PDB file of all heavy atoms in Angstrom:
ATOM      1  N   ARG A   1       2.237   8.219  -1.512  1.00  0.00           N
ATOM      2  CA  ARG A   1       2.592   9.570  -1.149  1.00  0.00           C
ATOM      3  C   ARG A   1       1.785  10.612  -1.860  1.00  0.00           C
ATOM      4  O   ARG A   1       1.785  11.798  -1.446  1.00  0.00           O
ATOM      5  CB  ARG A   1       4.101   9.800  -1.341  1.00  0.00           C
ATOM      6  CG  ARG A   1       4.924   9.131  -0.277  1.00  0.00           C
ATOM      7  CD  ARG A   1       6.363   9.518  -0.328  1.00  0.00           C
ATOM      8  NE  ARG A   1       7.021   8.908   0.804  1.00  0.00           N
ATOM      9  CZ  ARG A   1       8.325   9.029   1.050  1.00  0.00           C
ATOM     10  NH1 ARG A   1       9.073   9.700   0.176  1.00  0.00           N
ATOM     11  NH2 ARG A   1       8.870   8.461   2.090  1.00  0.00           N
ATOM     12  N   SER A   2       1.017  10.235  -2.862  1.00  0.00           N
ATOM     13  CA  SER A   2       0.135  11.210  -3.466  1.00  0.00           C
ATOM     14  C   SER A   2      -1.052  11.503  -2.592  1.00  0.00           C
ATOM     15  O   SER A   2      -1.800  12.494  -2.755  1.00  0.00           O
ATOM     16  CB  SER A   2      -0.335  10.781  -4.858  1.00  0.00           C
ATOM     17  OG  SER A   2      -1.137   9.652  -4.762  1.00  0.00           O
ATOM     18  N   PHE A   3      -1.266  10.666  -1.563  1.00  0.00           N
ATOM     19  CA  PHE A   3      -2.338  10.823  -0.573  1.00  0.00           C
ATOM     20  C   PHE A   3      -1.813  11.195   0.788  1.00  0.00           C
ATOM     21  O   PHE A   3      -2.399  12.055   1.448  1.00  0.00           O
ATOM     22  CB  PHE A   3      -3.161   9.498  -0.442  1.00  0.00           C
ATOM     23  CG  PHE A   3      -3.909   9.161  -1.667  1.00  0.00           C
ATOM     24  CD1 PHE A   3      -3.340   8.335  -2.625  1.00  0.00           C
ATOM     25  CD2 PHE A   3      -5.168   9.656  -1.899  1.00  0.00           C
ATOM     26  CE1 PHE A   3      -4.065   8.014  -3.812  1.00  0.00           C
ATOM     27  CE2 PHE A   3      -5.867   9.389  -3.050  1.00  0.00           C
ATOM     28  CZ  PHE A   3      -5.300   8.528  -4.007  1.00  0.00           C
ATOM     29  N   VAL A   4      -0.742  10.606   1.200  1.00  0.00           N
ATOM     30  CA  VAL A   4      -0.092  10.869   2.541  1.00  0.00           C
ATOM     31  C   VAL A   4       1.381  11.150   2.229  1.00  0.00           C
ATOM     32  O   VAL A   4       2.139  10.207   1.910  1.00  0.00           O
ATOM     33  CB  VAL A   4      -0.231   9.676   3.476  1.00  0.00           C
ATOM     34  CG1 VAL A   4       0.467   9.953   4.790  1.00  0.00           C
ATOM     35  CG2 VAL A   4      -1.661   9.358   3.720  1.00  0.00           C
ATOM     36  N   PRO A   5       1.815  12.415   2.340  1.00  0.00           N
ATOM     37  CA  PRO A   5       3.196  12.780   1.922  1.00  0.00           C
ATOM     38  C   PRO A   5       4.292  11.989   2.618  1.00  0.00           C
ATOM     39  O   PRO A   5       5.301  11.735   2.001  1.00  0.00           O
ATOM     40  CB  PRO A   5       3.247  14.268   2.326  1.00  0.00           C
ATOM     41  CG  PRO A   5       1.870  14.733   2.243  1.00  0.00           C
ATOM     42  CD  PRO A   5       1.003  13.589   2.696  1.00  0.00           C
ATOM     43  N   GLY A   6       4.085  11.506   3.822  1.00  0.00           N
ATOM     44  CA  GLY A   6       5.159  10.752   4.512  1.00  0.00           C
ATOM     45  C   GLY A   6       5.002   9.260   4.464  1.00  0.00           C
ATOM     46  O   GLY A   6       5.676   8.557   5.165  1.00  0.00           O
ATOM     47  N   ALA A   7       4.163   8.772   3.572  1.00  0.00           N
ATOM     48  CA  ALA A   7       3.840   7.322   3.500  1.00  0.00           C
ATOM     49  C   ALA A   7       5.102   6.520   3.156  1.00  0.00           C
ATOM     50  O   ALA A   7       5.930   6.967   2.356  1.00  0.00           O
ATOM     51  CB  ALA A   7       2.764   7.056   2.464  1.00  0.00           C
ATOM     52  N   ILE A   8       5.208   5.372   3.792  1.00  0.00           N
ATOM     53  CA  ILE A   8       6.391   4.489   3.511  1.00  0.00           C
ATOM     54  C   ILE A   8       5.848   3.095   3.102  1.00  0.00           C
ATOM     55  O   ILE A   8       4.988   2.541   3.781  1.00  0.00           O
ATOM     56  CB  ILE A   8       7.262   4.360   4.767  1.00  0.00           C
ATOM     57  CG1 ILE A   8       7.900   5.743   5.083  1.00  0.00           C
ATOM     58  CG2 ILE A   8       8.332   3.281   4.565  1.00  0.00           C
ATOM     59  CD1 ILE A   8       8.695   5.767   6.351  1.00  0.00           C
ATOM     60  N   VAL A   9       6.356   2.584   2.052  1.00  0.00           N
ATOM     61  CA  VAL A   9       6.083   1.173   1.617  1.00  0.00           C
ATOM     62  C   VAL A   9       7.426   0.460   1.590  1.00  0.00           C
ATOM     63  O   VAL A   9       8.307   0.834   0.856  1.00  0.00           O
ATOM     64  CB  VAL A   9       5.353   1.157   0.244  1.00  0.00           C
ATOM     65  CG1 VAL A   9       5.156  -0.297  -0.187  1.00  0.00           C
ATOM     66  CG2 VAL A   9       4.074   1.936   0.254  1.00  0.00           C
ATOM     67  N   ARG A  10       7.588  -0.467   2.438  1.00  0.00           N
ATOM     68  CA  ARG A  10       8.845  -1.184   2.599  1.00  0.00           C
ATOM     69  C   ARG A  10       9.037  -2.304   1.621  1.00  0.00           C
ATOM     70  O   ARG A  10       8.102  -3.039   1.239  1.00  0.00           O
ATOM     71  CB  ARG A  10       8.980  -1.730   4.014  1.00  0.00           C
ATOM     72  CG  ARG A  10       8.888  -0.661   5.088  1.00  0.00           C
ATOM     73  CD  ARG A  10       9.576  -1.042   6.341  1.00  0.00           C
ATOM     74  NE  ARG A  10       9.431  -0.033   7.364  1.00  0.00           N
ATOM     75  CZ  ARG A  10      10.179   1.046   7.450  1.00  0.00           C
ATOM     76  NH1 ARG A  10      11.113   1.278   6.548  1.00  0.00           N
ATOM     77  NH2 ARG A  10       9.983   1.938   8.377  1.00  0.00           N
ATOM     78  N   ARG A  11      10.309  -2.444   1.149  1.00  0.00           N
ATOM     79  CA  ARG A  11      10.622  -3.549   0.193  1.00  0.00           C
ATOM     80  C   ARG A  11      10.312  -4.898   0.812  1.00  0.00           C
ATOM     81  O   ARG A  11       9.834  -5.806   0.144  1.00  0.00           O
ATOM     82  CB  ARG A  11      12.096  -3.491  -0.156  1.00  0.00           C
ATOM     83  CG  ARG A  11      12.460  -2.419  -1.143  1.00  0.00           C
ATOM     84  CD  ARG A  11      13.971  -2.526  -1.477  1.00  0.00           C
ATOM     85  NE  ARG A  11      14.327  -1.365  -2.321  1.00  0.00           N
ATOM     86  CZ  ARG A  11      14.248  -1.346  -3.622  1.00  0.00           C
ATOM     87  NH1 ARG A  11      13.827  -2.408  -4.265  1.00  0.00           N
ATOM     88  NH2 ARG A  11      14.604  -0.280  -4.260  1.00  0.00           N
ATOM     89  N   SER A  12      10.575  -5.057   2.116  1.00  0.00           N
ATOM     90  CA  SER A  12      10.319  -6.366   2.770  1.00  0.00           C
ATOM     91  C   SER A  12       8.843  -6.734   2.726  1.00  0.00           C
ATOM     92  O   SER A  12       8.502  -7.907   2.528  1.00  0.00           O
ATOM     93  CB  SER A  12      10.854  -6.342   4.204  1.00  0.00           C
ATOM     94  OG  SER A  12      10.173  -5.331   4.946  1.00  0.00           O
ATOM     95  N   LYS A  13       7.985  -5.725   2.884  1.00  0.00           N
ATOM     96  CA  LYS A  13       6.509  -5.984   2.826  1.00  0.00           C
ATOM     97  C   LYS A  13       6.132  -6.366   1.399  1.00  0.00           C
ATOM     98  O   LYS A  13       5.291  -7.244   1.213  1.00  0.00           O
ATOM     99  CB  LYS A  13       5.738  -4.770   3.300  1.00  0.00           C
ATOM    100  CG  LYS A  13       5.858  -4.506   4.789  1.00  0.00           C
ATOM    101  CD  LYS A  13       5.111  -5.537   5.588  1.00  0.00           C
ATOM    102  CE  LYS A  13       5.144  -5.205   7.025  1.00  0.00           C
ATOM    103  NZ  LYS A  13       4.534  -6.277   7.828  1.00  0.00           N
ATOM    104  N   CYS A  14       6.690  -5.676   0.411  1.00  0.00           N
ATOM    105  CA  CYS A  14       6.383  -6.000  -0.996  1.00  0.00           C
ATOM    106  C   CYS A  14       6.906  -7.386  -1.325  1.00  0.00           C
ATOM    107  O   CYS A  14       6.226  -8.120  -2.085  1.00  0.00           O
ATOM    108  CB  CYS A  14       7.002  -4.946  -1.919  1.00  0.00           C
ATOM    109  SG  CYS A  14       6.143  -3.347  -1.854  1.00  0.00           S
ATOM    110  N   ALA A  15       8.040  -7.799  -0.868  1.00  0.00           N
ATOM    111  CA  ALA A  15       8.613  -9.100  -1.142  1.00  0.00           C
ATOM    112  C   ALA A  15       7.732 -10.213  -0.589  1.00  0.00           C
ATOM    113  O   ALA A  15       7.732 -11.335  -1.120  1.00  0.00           O
ATOM    114  CB  ALA A  15       9.987  -9.202  -0.591  1.00  0.00           C
ATOM    115  N   GLU A  16       6.916  -9.925   0.427  1.00  0.00           N
ATOM    116  CA  GLU A  16       6.060 -10.895   1.013  1.00  0.00           C
ATOM    117  C   GLU A  16       4.674 -10.986   0.444  1.00  0.00           C
ATOM    118  O   GLU A  16       3.887 -11.839   0.766  1.00  0.00           O
ATOM    119  CB  GLU A  16       5.939 -10.602   2.535  1.00  0.00           C
ATOM    120  CG  GLU A  16       7.202 -10.702   3.319  1.00  0.00           C
ATOM    121  CD  GLU A  16       7.079 -10.209   4.770  1.00  0.00           C
ATOM    122  OE1 GLU A  16       5.993  -9.692   5.144  1.00  0.00           O
ATOM    123  OE2 GLU A  16       8.080 -10.254   5.477  1.00  0.00           O
ATOM    124  N   LEU A  17       4.362 -10.051  -0.511  1.00  0.00           N
ATOM    125  CA  LEU A  17       3.029 -10.018  -1.103  1.00  0.00           C
ATOM    126  C   LEU A  17       2.717 -11.315  -1.826  1.00  0.00           C
ATOM    127  O   LEU A  17       3.573 -11.918  -2.487  1.00  0.00           O
ATOM    128  CB  LEU A  17       2.875  -8.824  -2.074  1.00  0.00           C
ATOM    129  CG  LEU A  17       2.916  -7.471  -1.479  1.00  0.00           C
ATOM    130  CD1 LEU A  17       3.050  -6.395  -2.547  1.00  0.00           C
ATOM    131  CD2 LEU A  17       1.642  -7.251  -0.636  1.00  0.00           C
ATOM    132  N   ASN A  18       1.434 -11.761  -1.758  1.00  0.00           N
ATOM    133  CA  ASN A  18       1.002 -12.965  -2.401  1.00  0.00           C
ATOM    134  C   ASN A  18       0.245 -12.673  -3.710  1.00  0.00           C
ATOM    135  O   ASN A  18       0.497 -13.293  -4.711  1.00  0.00           O
ATOM    136  CB  ASN A  18       0.156 -13.801  -1.494  1.00  0.00           C
ATOM    137  CG  ASN A  18       0.971 -14.382  -0.370  1.00  0.00           C
ATOM    138  OD1 ASN A  18       2.075 -14.889  -0.602  1.00  0.00           O
ATOM    139  ND2 ASN A  18       0.510 -14.319   0.877  1.00  0.00           N
ATOM    140  N   THR A  19      -0.744 -11.768  -3.631  1.00  0.00           N
ATOM    141  CA  THR A  19      -1.623 -11.533  -4.775  1.00  0.00           C
ATOM    142  C   THR A  19      -1.648 -10.048  -5.148  1.00  0.00           C
ATOM    143  O   THR A  19      -1.206  -9.206  -4.390  1.00  0.00           O
ATOM    144  CB  THR A  19      -3.074 -11.958  -4.471  1.00  0.00           C
ATOM    145  OG1 THR A  19      -3.577 -11.088  -3.463  1.00  0.00           O
ATOM    146  CG2 THR A  19      -3.148 -13.397  -4.042  1.00  0.00           C
ATOM    147  N   VAL A  20      -2.163  -9.753  -6.343  1.00  0.00           N
ATOM    148  CA  VAL A  20      -2.346  -8.386  -6.758  1.00  0.00           C
ATOM    149  C   VAL A  20      -3.255  -7.652  -5.809  1.00  0.00           C
ATOM    150  O   VAL A  20      -3.000  -6.535  -5.446  1.00  0.00           O
ATOM    151  CB  VAL A  20      -2.944  -8.372  -8.175  1.00  0.00           C
ATOM    152  CG1 VAL A  20      -3.271  -6.941  -8.579  1.00  0.00           C
ATOM    153  CG2 VAL A  20      -1.969  -9.011  -9.199  1.00  0.00           C
ATOM    154  N   GLY A  21      -4.300  -8.340  -5.327  1.00  0.00           N
ATOM    155  CA  GLY A  21      -5.233  -7.718  -4.377  1.00  0.00           C
ATOM    156  C   GLY A  21      -4.505  -7.312  -3.075  1.00  0.00           C
ATOM    157  O   GLY A  21      -4.767  -6.265  -2.494  1.00  0.00           O
ATOM    158  N   ASP A  22      -3.543  -8.140  -2.622  1.00  0.00           N
ATOM    159  CA  ASP A  22      -2.745  -7.847  -1.465  1.00  0.00           C
ATOM    160  C   ASP A  22      -1.917  -6.576  -1.677  1.00  0.00           C
ATOM    161  O   ASP A  22      -1.715  -5.780  -0.791  1.00  0.00           O
ATOM    162  CB  ASP A  22      -1.817  -9.001  -1.103  1.00  0.00           C
ATOM    163  CG  ASP A  22      -2.568 -10.218  -0.585  1.00  0.00           C
ATOM    164  OD1 ASP A  22      -3.741 -10.107  -0.197  1.00  0.00           O
ATOM    165  OD2 ASP A  22      -1.928 -11.317  -0.620  1.00  0.00           O
ATOM    166  N   ALA A  23      -1.401  -6.420  -2.942  1.00  0.00           N
ATOM    167  CA  ALA A  23      -0.610  -5.251  -3.281  1.00  0.00           C
ATOM    168  C   ALA A  23      -1.465  -3.966  -3.240  1.00  0.00           C
ATOM    169  O   ALA A  23      -1.050  -2.961  -2.705  1.00  0.00           O
ATOM    170  CB  ALA A  23       0.020  -5.402  -4.640  1.00  0.00           C
ATOM    171  N   VAL A  24      -2.695  -4.037  -3.761  1.00  0.00           N
ATOM    172  CA  VAL A  24      -3.559  -2.936  -3.730  1.00  0.00           C
ATOM    173  C   VAL A  24      -3.854  -2.545  -2.250  1.00  0.00           C
ATOM    174  O   VAL A  24      -3.866  -1.401  -1.857  1.00  0.00           O
ATOM    175  CB  VAL A  24      -4.929  -3.199  -4.487  1.00  0.00           C
ATOM    176  CG1 VAL A  24      -5.907  -2.133  -4.299  1.00  0.00           C
ATOM    177  CG2 VAL A  24      -4.587  -3.400  -6.012  1.00  0.00           C
ATOM    178  N   LYS A  25      -4.132  -3.556  -1.432  1.00  0.00           N
ATOM    179  CA  LYS A  25      -4.426  -3.367  -0.027  1.00  0.00           C
ATOM    180  C   LYS A  25      -3.213  -2.685   0.695  1.00  0.00           C
ATOM    181  O   LYS A  25      -3.432  -1.776   1.498  1.00  0.00           O
ATOM    182  CB  LYS A  25      -4.792  -4.669   0.645  1.00  0.00           C
ATOM    183  CG  LYS A  25      -5.110  -4.606   2.120  1.00  0.00           C
ATOM    184  CD  LYS A  25      -5.468  -5.973   2.675  1.00  0.00           C
ATOM    185  CE  LYS A  25      -5.709  -5.899   4.139  1.00  0.00           C
ATOM    186  NZ  LYS A  25      -5.989  -7.215   4.734  1.00  0.00           N
ATOM    187  N   LEU A  26      -2.022  -3.154   0.422  1.00  0.00           N
ATOM    188  CA  LEU A  26      -0.824  -2.583   1.045  1.00  0.00           C
ATOM    189  C   LEU A  26      -0.684  -1.104   0.669  1.00  0.00           C
ATOM    190  O   LEU A  26      -0.437  -0.240   1.570  1.00  0.00           O
ATOM    191  CB  LEU A  26       0.412  -3.297   0.593  1.00  0.00           C
ATOM    192  CG  LEU A  26       1.750  -2.761   1.028  1.00  0.00           C
ATOM    193  CD1 LEU A  26       1.939  -2.976   2.553  1.00  0.00           C
ATOM    194  CD2 LEU A  26       2.920  -3.423   0.294  1.00  0.00           C
ATOM    195  N   VAL A  27      -0.906  -0.731  -0.560  1.00  0.00           N
ATOM    196  CA  VAL A  27      -0.797   0.661  -0.989  1.00  0.00           C
ATOM    197  C   VAL A  27      -1.920   1.502  -0.371  1.00  0.00           C
ATOM    198  O   VAL A  27      -1.680   2.601   0.106  1.00  0.00           O
ATOM    199  CB  VAL A  27      -0.787   0.786  -2.526  1.00  0.00           C
ATOM    200  CG1 VAL A  27      -0.822   2.232  -2.931  1.00  0.00           C
ATOM    201  CG2 VAL A  27       0.437   0.101  -3.110  1.00  0.00           C
ATOM    202  N   ARG A  28      -3.108   0.938  -0.338  1.00  0.00           N
ATOM    203  CA  ARG A  28      -4.227   1.665   0.293  1.00  0.00           C
ATOM    204  C   ARG A  28      -3.974   1.940   1.721  1.00  0.00           C
ATOM    205  O   ARG A  28      -4.269   3.017   2.230  1.00  0.00           O
ATOM    206  CB  ARG A  28      -5.545   0.863   0.125  1.00  0.00           C
ATOM    207  CG  ARG A  28      -6.189   0.953  -1.207  1.00  0.00           C
ATOM    208  CD  ARG A  28      -7.577   0.325  -1.234  1.00  0.00           C
ATOM    209  NE  ARG A  28      -8.437   1.088  -0.365  1.00  0.00           N
ATOM    210  CZ  ARG A  28      -9.176   0.531   0.567  1.00  0.00           C
ATOM    211  NH1 ARG A  28      -9.193  -0.746   0.766  1.00  0.00           N
ATOM    212  NH2 ARG A  28      -9.964   1.301   1.330  1.00  0.00           N
ATOM    213  N   GLU A  29      -3.449   0.969   2.465  1.00  0.00           N
ATOM    214  CA  GLU A  29      -3.140   1.178   3.890  1.00  0.00           C
ATOM    215  C   GLU A  29      -2.095   2.229   4.092  1.00  0.00           C
ATOM    216  O   GLU A  29      -2.183   3.088   4.968  1.00  0.00           O
ATOM    217  CB  GLU A  29      -2.727  -0.159   4.503  1.00  0.00           C
ATOM    218  CG  GLU A  29      -3.889  -1.120   4.687  1.00  0.00           C
ATOM    219  CD  GLU A  29      -3.469  -2.469   5.218  1.00  0.00           C
ATOM    220  OE1 GLU A  29      -2.239  -2.718   5.443  1.00  0.00           O
ATOM    221  OE2 GLU A  29      -4.361  -3.305   5.391  1.00  0.00           O
ATOM    222  N   ALA A  30      -1.084   2.218   3.253  1.00  0.00           N
ATOM    223  CA  ALA A  30      -0.022   3.236   3.360  1.00  0.00           C
ATOM    224  C   ALA A  30      -0.545   4.600   3.004  1.00  0.00           C
ATOM    225  O   ALA A  30      -0.061   5.651   3.505  1.00  0.00           O
ATOM    226  CB  ALA A  30       1.173   2.879   2.429  1.00  0.00           C
ATOM    227  N   ALA A  31      -1.565   4.674   2.171  1.00  0.00           N
ATOM    228  CA  ALA A  31      -2.107   5.928   1.661  1.00  0.00           C
ATOM    229  C   ALA A  31      -3.273   6.439   2.567  1.00  0.00           C
ATOM    230  O   ALA A  31      -3.910   7.405   2.216  1.00  0.00           O
ATOM    231  CB  ALA A  31      -2.641   5.789   0.253  1.00  0.00           C
ATOM    232  N   GLY A  32      -3.547   5.782   3.662  1.00  0.00           N
ATOM    233  CA  GLY A  32      -4.620   6.236   4.570  1.00  0.00           C
ATOM    234  C   GLY A  32      -5.940   5.667   4.187  1.00  0.00           C
ATOM    235  O   GLY A  32      -6.986   6.215   4.573  1.00  0.00           O
ATOM    236  N   LYS A  33      -6.002   4.539   3.488  1.00  0.00           N
ATOM    237  CA  LYS A  33      -7.219   3.780   3.134  1.00  0.00           C
ATOM    238  C   LYS A  33      -8.227   4.568   2.298  1.00  0.00           C
ATOM    239  O   LYS A  33      -9.423   4.498   2.544  1.00  0.00           O
ATOM    240  CB  LYS A  33      -7.862   3.218   4.384  1.00  0.00           C
ATOM    241  CG  LYS A  33      -6.992   2.244   5.099  1.00  0.00           C
ATOM    242  CD  LYS A  33      -7.724   1.532   6.193  1.00  0.00           C
ATOM    243  CE  LYS A  33      -6.786   0.557   6.857  1.00  0.00           C
ATOM    244  NZ  LYS A  33      -7.453  -0.217   7.887  1.00  0.00           N
ATOM    245  N   PRO A  34      -7.779   5.220   1.210  1.00  0.00           N
ATOM    246  CA  PRO A  34      -8.764   5.779   0.290  1.00  0.00           C
ATOM    247  C   PRO A  34      -9.353   4.679  -0.517  1.00  0.00           C
ATOM    248  O   PRO A  34      -8.831   3.555  -0.559  1.00  0.00           O
ATOM    249  CB  PRO A  34      -7.930   6.736  -0.598  1.00  0.00           C
ATOM    250  CG  PRO A  34      -6.550   6.109  -0.597  1.00  0.00           C
ATOM    251  CD  PRO A  34      -6.411   5.496   0.798  1.00  0.00           C
ATOM    252  N   PRO A  35     -10.479   4.915  -1.264  1.00  0.00           N
ATOM    253  CA  PRO A  35     -11.072   3.873  -2.092  1.00  0.00           C
ATOM    254  C   PRO A  35     -10.104   3.448  -3.221  1.00  0.00           C
ATOM    255  O   PRO A  35      -9.260   4.256  -3.643  1.00  0.00           O
ATOM    256  CB  PRO A  35     -12.313   4.509  -2.667  1.00  0.00           C
ATOM    257  CG  PRO A  35     -12.389   5.907  -2.166  1.00  0.00           C
ATOM    258  CD  PRO A  35     -11.230   6.129  -1.283  1.00  0.00           C
ATOM    259  N   THR A  36     -10.224   2.205  -3.670  1.00  0.00           N
ATOM    260  CA  THR A  36      -9.311   1.728  -4.748  1.00  0.00           C
ATOM    261  C   THR A  36      -9.454   2.493  -6.009  1.00  0.00           C
ATOM    262  O   THR A  36      -8.539   2.505  -6.846  1.00  0.00           O
ATOM    263  CB  THR A  36      -9.505   0.240  -5.030  1.00  0.00           C
ATOM    264  OG1 THR A  36     -10.849   0.017  -5.345  1.00  0.00           O
ATOM    265  CG2 THR A  36      -9.162  -0.600  -3.797  1.00  0.00           C
ATOM    266  N   ASP A  37     -10.611   3.112  -6.213  1.00  0.00           N
ATOM    267  CA  ASP A  37     -10.823   3.853  -7.408  1.00  0.00           C
ATOM    268  C   ASP A  37     -10.604   5.368  -7.284  1.00  0.00           C
ATOM    269  O   ASP A  37     -10.907   6.145  -8.161  1.00  0.00           O
ATOM    270  CB  ASP A  37     -12.217   3.592  -8.005  1.00  0.00           C
ATOM    271  CG  ASP A  37     -13.359   4.043  -7.057  1.00  0.00           C
ATOM    272  OD1 ASP A  37     -13.044   4.376  -5.886  1.00  0.00           O
ATOM    273  OD2 ASP A  37     -14.523   4.047  -7.429  1.00  0.00           O
ATOM    274  N   ALA A  38      -9.960   5.691  -6.135  1.00  0.00           N
ATOM    275  CA  ALA A  38      -9.572   7.125  -5.902  1.00  0.00           C
ATOM    276  C   ALA A  38      -8.544   7.556  -6.970  1.00  0.00           C
ATOM    277  O   ALA A  38      -7.627   6.812  -7.282  1.00  0.00           O
ATOM    278  CB  ALA A  38      -8.964   7.288  -4.508  1.00  0.00           C
TER     279      ALA A  38
END
């Protein structure tokens, strides 16, 4: 939400995460795909 004010990250999606990289990807997608070092 610091990038997209209405962004939603669901608990169910987080519960299904496998790796740290997957978690970063999930947050980036919810944030409108800014660079990981943004």
Side-chain angles (χ1 to χ4, degrees):
R1 285 189 175 178
S2 68
F3 294 92
V4 177
I8 295 175
V9 178
R10 302 205 181 278
R11 285 183 186 271
S12 60
K13 290 289 184 186
C14 288
E16 296 171 358
L17 290 170
N18 292 314
T19 66
V20 173
D22 293 341
V24 172
K25 182 179 175 184
L26 176 69
V27 174
R28 281 189 64 231
E29 287 175 1
K33 297 190 179 181
T36 57
D37 61 351

